[in-house]
Amino acid sequence: MNRRTTTRRLDPRPVSRPVRRTLGVLAAAAALLGAGLAAPATASAASGSGQLTDLVNPFIGTENEGNTYPGAAVPFGMVQFSPDTGHNTGYDYSENHIRGFSTVHLSGVGCGLGGDLPVLPTVGDIGSTDYAKYAAEFSHDDEKASPGYYKVGLKSGIDAELSATKRTGVQKYTFPATDKANVMINAGQSLHKTVHTKVDILDSRTVRTAITGSGFCQDTKQYTLYTITKFDRPFTTSGTWKGDTVTEGSKSSAADAERNGAYLRFDTSKDRTVEATTAISYVDEHGAALNLSKEGGRSFDSVSGAARSAWEDRLDDVKAQGGSETVRRTFYSSLYRSFLAPNIGSDVDGRYTGWDQKIHRAKGFTYYQNWSLWDTYRTQAQLLSLLAPRESRDMALSVIRIDKDSGWLPKWGYGTVETNIMTGDPVTPFLTNAYQQGLLKGHEEDAYRALKKNADGVPPADSAPVGREANKQYLADGFAPYIKGREHVKPGDSDYDHGASATLEYALSDAMLGQMAKELGHKGDAKRYAERAQNYRKIFDSSTGFFRARDASGAFTGPADPAKSEGFHEGTSWQYQWLVPQDLPGMVGLIGGKEAANKRLDSFFAYEQLVKDPAKTAREVWVNGPYDYYNADKYNPQNEPDLIAPYTYLSTGQPWKTTDVVHAALTLFTDTPTGMTGNDDLGTMSAWNVLSSIGIFPVQPGTDTWSLSTPVFERVDVKLDRHYYPKGALTVRAPGTSEGNRYIQSARTDGAAYDKTYLTTEDLRGLRNLSFTVGGEPSAWGTGADAAPPALK
C-alpha cells in the first residue's frame, strides 16, 4: 500500500482494535441502512442526463485513508487539479479548510507527494503567507464534483470551479463585488518537501514558477516542475512574498526551503469572474509555455465540457446492467479511478525528462510516468491492457525507456525519479503482462534484455534504483535473507528488511520471465528462470507449515508464529502463503494437499462466519483499520499481498468459495467517502473491484490467464479495441445473479459448454459471449481435474 508508519495518521494517538472494529461496524451499518445517504454531491447528479459520468462519485475514498482526490483530471492526464485540506496526501473529507487548489496528485498514495503550486482565491488585504493560516473555510453542502469538474463555495463568498486538459488545470473564480479580489499563487508550499522555488510575474496576466522538490515517504532525488499561469483579464496590482515578507509591485522572488509565492489582485466590482489556465511541464519553462499554447486559450465551460466528454467515452466502454444503484455507483467510480494513472509525462512536443535527468523526445508514442508497480502489476495493469491497450502499450514502452535512459528498470517511480518504495521485483510481471497481452510487438527483445539484466543483477552503487537489492544472495542461495537492522544503502525500502516476502516476489517474477523467455526462444534462460520460480520452497518451514524468513546464514529467523509480520512486507505469512500463483499445486502440496489447504483457507477467510453474514465478517473479522495489516491471521482485502488470495479456491476444487469471498469483499466498496478498501494505490483497489465485479480476474499476474467467478451484474458489455481483440466486444451474462443466487451452475463460451475456471487472452480474442447460469447452491462446475488455472512450466 506504499505507506510509512511515520506518516500514517493525522492524529498520532493509537486507535485500539475494539475501537477500529466499532468504527467498522458503524460504517457497515451506514452503508447497509442508508447507502449513499451521507455521500457528497456530484456535479452531474442533479443534471439528470443519464450519462455514466452521473454515476461517478469522486469523493469515494477521501476519508479514512483511502487517499483519493475529488478534483478535476482527464484520463491519464499530467494535471490533477484538486483541493488540499491539510492531509499529507492532499484532501481529507473530515477537514473543513482548503489551503489551495494544486496541480499534481496521485490517487491513493500513502505518503505526501505532489500538491505543487496550491492556488487559492481570497478577498481583502494580504496577511499571512502560510497557507495553513490563510486557508479558506468551506462546507461540504457547498461542494460538488464529477469526472473532470470540481466546485466549492468558500465561506469568504467566493465560488471556485476547477477543470483540466491533459497538461493544464483551468480555474474559474466568482468573487463578491470588491476591489480586493486576490489569487494566491504559492510556489513554496506543497505536499512534498520543496528545496528551491522561483516565481516570475511576466506581465499583467501571466505568472511563471519553477518548483524543485523531493520526497515520497523518504527523501529522493530532486525533480523540478515548471508552471505558467495565464489569466483571462489583467490584474490591477500584484506582488510577491518570501517567508513572511510581502512586497507589493515585486515581479520576481526566489527561495530555498522557505515560503515563496505571488499574489495577483483584481477589481470585481462589476465583472465578478476571473478565469485562469495553469500549464505544467517536467521538462522546462519552454515546455510549460508550449503546453499552455497548445491546450490553453479556451473558456472554462468549454474545457469542463470536453473533460466530461472524455470521461464519458472511457466509461462507455463498459456497460453494466443490473445490480443496485449503490453497486453501480461504486463500480463506475472504481472504473473512473482506474483511468487516473499512470500519467502523461511528455510535453506536447514529445519531450520529457528521463531518469538520467536529461531531456529526451518520445517518437511514435506518448511517454508516461508515475509507477506504483508493487500495487498495479496485480490488477490495474491487466485492466488497462484490456480496456486501454493503446495507452498500455505506450506505458510499457515508457518503462522500457526508463531502462534505456537511466540504466535500470523502475520499482516505484514518481515523475522523473526513482523512490525505491516497496520491495520485490514488480516491474517484471508488469512488463511480462504487456508482452503476454500483445502490447510489445516489435519491442519484445528490448523488453527482454532489460528484464534479464534486472533479474540477474543488481544496479550499480552510484545509481538511484535498488532493483532486486538482495539478488546476489538470492541467486546464490535461493532466498533473499532477512537482515535485521541493516543500514539502507539508498533511500526507500529495502528487500533485506522483508526477506521472506521479497523471496516470494522474486520467485513469482522469475516464473513470469521464464514464460517470456520460453516463448521468445531463449531456452537456457527459460529453464533457469523456471527453476528459480521454485525458490518459494526455500523459505517453507516444515516445522510450522508456513513460509518463514531466513537470515544470512540460512537459518530460519523471527517468530515461528505465522501471524507475526517479521520478514514480510505489509503482511504476515498467513497472508503471503497464497502468493505463489506460478505454482499453486506445488504450494498446496507443501501444506498437505487440497484438504489441508481448504481447511487453512477456510480459517483464513473465517469462512463459517462469512457464509452466515458476509458483510459483517468483512467489516469485523477481516478489516480492523486502514493500516492494520500487521500481525494477523486473516484475509486483508485492503492490501495488495491478498488481492489474488480469494481465487486460490479455484485450485483446491472449491470454486464456489471464491465467489463467496469475492462478493463479501465487494461489500467494502461503498458510495461514501469511506468507501475504499485501504489506499487506492493509483487504481489498484479500484481495478480489483471492476474486474471482480465483471467476473474476470488476472489470477496469475504477468501471464495471460484470467480466472472466472460469478459477476455481480446480469450483463456487462465490454467494448474492445479491434486491433488487439478482433471481435471488438465481449458480453458477460449472468441472468438472475444476486447475493442469494450467486453460485455458478454452468458456463458457456459462445454457446459451448465450458467447465474450466479460467480463460486465456487468446480465448478472449476469439470470444464474443461468456455466459453463466447461476443458482442458490454450490454446484460441481469448475471442480474437474483440469478445471483450475495450470501451474507454469
Side-chain angles (χ1 to χ4, degrees):
M1 284 307 223
N2 310 330
R3 313 171 175 116
R4 306 299 296 178
T5 57
T6 56
T7 59
R8 284 181 187 164
R9 298 184 184 278
L10 294 175
D11 184 349
R13 294 170 296 177
V15 181
S16 67
R17 187 177 296 264
V19 170
R20 287 175 180 145
R21 287 185 171 171
T22 300
L23 292 172
V25 173
L26 292 174
L32 294 173
L33 297 178
L37 290 180
T42 62
S44 56
S47 69
S49 68
Q51 293 185 310
L52 293 176
T53 45
D54 293 347
L55 295 172
V56 174
N57 181 359
F59 290 99
I60 293 174
T62 58
E63 193 171 18
N64 201 28
E65 304 299 335
N67 295 348
T68 58
Y69 61 84
V74 297
F76 311 122
M78 183 186 290
V79 168
Q80 307 84 36
F81 210 7
S82 191
D84 296 325
T85 62
H87 189 273
N88 71 313
T89 64
Y91 183 94
D92 188 329
Y93 194 80
S94 63
E95 300 288 332
N96 67 349
H97 281 77
I98 291 174
R99 298 181 174 187
F101 306 108
S102 61
T103 56
V104 177
H105 299 83
L106 292 183
S107 182
V109 294
C111 300
L113 180 155
D116 298 286
L117 200 70
V119 177
L120 190 71
T122 67
V123 292
D125 294 328
I126 305 301
S128 174
T129 62
D130 181 353
Y131 69 178
K133 294 180 179 178
Y134 68 69
E137 187 177 358
F138 75 104
S139 167
H140 294 303
D141 293 337
D142 300 317
E143 187 182 37
K144 57 180 65 175
S146 64
Y149 178 79
Y150 173 87
K151 181 178 181 179
V152 64
L154 305 177
K155 292 291 185 180
S156 59
I158 304 168
D159 284 343
E161 297 175 81
L162 310 177
S163 192
T165 69
K166 291 178 180 178
R167 298 172 180 86
T168 76
V170 184
Q171 52 217 284
K172 179 181 180 180
Y173 304 126
T174 304
F175 288 92
T178 177
D179 62 355
K180 292 183 179 180
N182 313 307
V183 176
M184 308 284 281
I185 295 184
N186 190 336
Q189 293 182 295
S190 62
L191 300 175
H192 60 86
K193 177 182 178 182
T194 56
V195 297
H196 184 77
T197 61
K198 191 173 187 300
V199 179
D200 294 300
I201 300 176
L202 301 181
D203 56 41
S204 63
R205 293 174 183 253
T206 314
V207 180
R208 183 176 65 197
T209 74
I211 302 168
T212 299
S214 69
F216 178 44
C217 299
Q218 299 181 30
D219 283 347
T220 63
K221 279 193 170 183
Q222 298 175 6
Y223 66 93
T224 300
L225 182 74
Y226 302 88
T227 83
I228 186 165
T229 302
K230 191 172 185 65
F231 289 83
D232 69 337
R233 55 188 286 194
F235 27 87
T236 57
T237 188
S238 63
T240 67
W241 72 79
K242 181 177 179 181
D244 291 323
T245 303
V246 179
T247 306
E248 184 176 352
S250 170
K251 301 298 183 183
S252 183
S253 180
D256 291 328
E258 190 175 9
R259 296 194 301 277
N260 192 35
Y263 73 91
L264 317 167
R265 177 162 291 169
F266 301 86
D267 187 337
T268 58
S269 300
K270 295 181 179 179
D271 183 357
R272 294 176 54 199
T273 64
V274 175
E275 295 188 13
T277 300
T278 298
I280 70 173
S281 169
Y282 289 84
V283 179
D284 54 22
E285 295 173 349
H286 179 63
L290 282 176
N291 293 341
L292 179 64
S293 176
K294 180 70 173 180
E295 298 185 12
R298 292 185 289 164
S299 70
F300 180 87
D301 291 343
S302 174
V303 170
S304 177
R308 180 180 175 89
S309 294
W311 279 112
E312 193 66 33
D313 287 345
R314 282 289 174 190
L315 300 177
D316 190 57
D317 287 344
V318 184
K319 292 186 176 179
Q321 300 178 25
S324 68
E325 180 74 7
T326 296
V327 168
R328 287 170 55 77
R329 290 184 67 84
T330 59
F331 176 81
Y332 279 104
S333 297
S334 291
L335 186 61
Y336 159 77
R337 290 191 300 272
S338 298
F339 290 121
L340 289 173
N343 305 103
I344 293 170
S346 51
D347 291 336
V348 293
D349 61 354
R351 294 184 309 145
Y352 68 92
T353 297
W355 284 25
D356 56 359
Q357 303 309 306
K358 297 179 181 178
I359 297 174
H360 304 271
R361 192 181 299 272
K363 297 180 180 180
F365 74 104
T366 298
Y367 181 81
Y368 287 84
Q369 59 192 23
N370 299 332
W371 305 104
S372 183
L373 294 174
W374 188 79
D375 310 287
T376 59
Y377 89 78
R378 307 166 200 260
T379 58
Q380 194 237 15
Q382 292 84 349
L383 179 63
L384 294 187
S385 71
L386 190 68
L387 299 180
R390 294 177 187 268
E391 291 87 348
S392 293
R393 169 191 176 272
D394 287 0
M395 292 168 188
L397 295 181
S398 299
V399 168
I400 297 170
R401 186 62 69 92
I402 289 173
D403 174 78
K404 181 179 179 181
D405 293 341
S406 69
W408 214 264
L409 289 168
K411 178 168 284 188
W412 209 118
Y414 173 64
T416 64
V417 298
E418 172 66 87
T419 71
N420 291 321
I421 295 301
M422 307 315 293
T423 49
D425 177 19
V427 71
T428 293
F430 173 83
L431 279 179
T432 61
N433 170 72
Y435 164 73
Q436 296 291 351
Q437 308 304 333
L439 305 179
L440 294 181
K441 297 293 186 183
H443 301 275
E444 296 92 339
E445 290 295 341
D446 288 341
Y448 181 74
R449 282 192 294 269
L451 287 168
K452 180 179 179 180
K453 178 176 61 177
N454 175 73
D456 292 343
V458 178
D462 61 353
S463 67
V466 296
R468 288 193 182 196
E469 186 183 16
N471 218 17
K472 182 178 179 180
Q473 295 86 342
Y474 174 82
L475 296 180
D477 304 320
F479 62 89
Y482 167 50
I483 304 177
K484 297 182 183 180
R486 184 179 184 274
E487 183 179 357
H488 287 206
V489 177
K490 300 179 182 180
D493 290 309
S494 172
D495 290 347
Y496 291 109
D497 290 341
H498 313 282
S501 56
T503 298
L504 295 174
E505 300 270 12
Y506 288 7
L508 182 157
S509 294
D510 283 335
M512 306 314 165
L513 186 55
Q515 287 293 110
M516 183 177 180
K518 180 180 178 181
E519 294 177 21
L520 291 177
H522 302 291
K523 295 181 180 179
D525 287 348
K527 182 176 183 297
R528 183 163 53 90
Y529 293 134
E531 291 171 351
R532 279 164 41 177
Q534 294 293 308
N535 280 341
Y536 72 89
R537 298 174 180 270
K538 299 288 182 66
I539 61 166
F540 184 77
D541 183 354
S542 59
S543 69
T544 65
F546 285 85
F547 296 128
R548 191 175 174 194
R550 289 183 180 269
D551 63 21
S553 71
F556 286 112
T557 186
D561 182 355
K564 300 299 181 182
S565 297
E566 199 165 346
F568 294 88
H569 202 172
E570 297 189 355
T572 67
S573 185
W574 266 102
Q575 291 158 351
Y576 270 94
Q577 67 183 316
W578 318 111
L579 193 63
V580 191
Q582 71 271 25
D583 187 23
L584 280 178
M587 186 275 293
V588 167
L590 281 180
I591 61 178
K594 289 185 178 180
E595 183 177 353
N598 280 323
K599 287 181 179 179
R600 189 173 290 186
L601 284 165
D602 289 350
S603 174
F604 181 59
F605 292 114
Y607 187 74
E608 289 187 9
Q609 296 168 264
L610 170 69
V611 293
K612 295 176 182 176
D613 194 332
K616 183 177 181 180
T617 302
R619 293 282 174 181
E620 297 186 26
V621 180
W622 293 349
V623 177
N624 298 313
Y627 291 119
D628 196 4
Y629 40 64
Y630 291 107
N631 303 324
D633 64 352
K634 291 296 183 284
Y635 170 52
N636 184 356
Q638 295 193 125
N639 209 14
E640 279 71 15
D642 279 358
L643 290 183
I644 62 175
Y647 297 90
T648 306
Y649 279 120
L650 303 182
S651 295
T652 61
Q654 297 183 334
W656 63 90
K657 291 184 177 179
T658 287
T659 290
D660 287 332
V661 174
V662 167
H663 282 218
L666 287 171
T667 67
L668 297 171
F669 292 85
T670 66
D671 184 27
T672 66
T674 60
M676 278 295 304
T677 58
N679 297 159
D680 195 28
D681 290 317
L682 278 69
T684 299
M685 309 309 288
S686 293
W688 188 93
N689 181 20
V690 171
L691 291 162
S692 294
S693 296
I694 294 174
I696 301 175
F697 188 85
V699 71
Q700 292 177 328
T703 72
D704 62 346
T705 305
W706 304 81
S707 65
L708 305 178
S709 63
T710 309
V712 299
F713 298 109
E714 292 195 300
R715 175 170 175 159
V716 180
D717 292 291
V718 183
K719 189 184 302 180
L720 300 172
D721 189 322
R722 288 187 179 275
H723 180 76
Y724 295 93
Y725 297 90
K727 297 289 184 178
L730 173 67
T731 297
V732 181
R733 292 183 175 89
T737 184
S738 67
E739 283 307 298
N741 207 41
R742 65 176 180 265
Y743 298 110
I744 297 175
Q745 308 296 303
S746 63
R748 305 186 78 82
T749 55
D750 285 339
Y754 193 78
D755 295 326
K756 295 181 179 180
T757 61
Y758 71 96
L759 292 165
T760 66
T761 298
E762 192 60 32
D763 292 332
L764 291 178
R765 289 193 179 111
L767 187 61
R768 186 62 182 81
N769 290 281
L770 171 64
S771 59
F772 299 98
T773 301
V774 296
E777 298 292 335
S779 74
W781 177 85
T783 60
D786 298 323
L792 303 185
K793 301 292 187 181

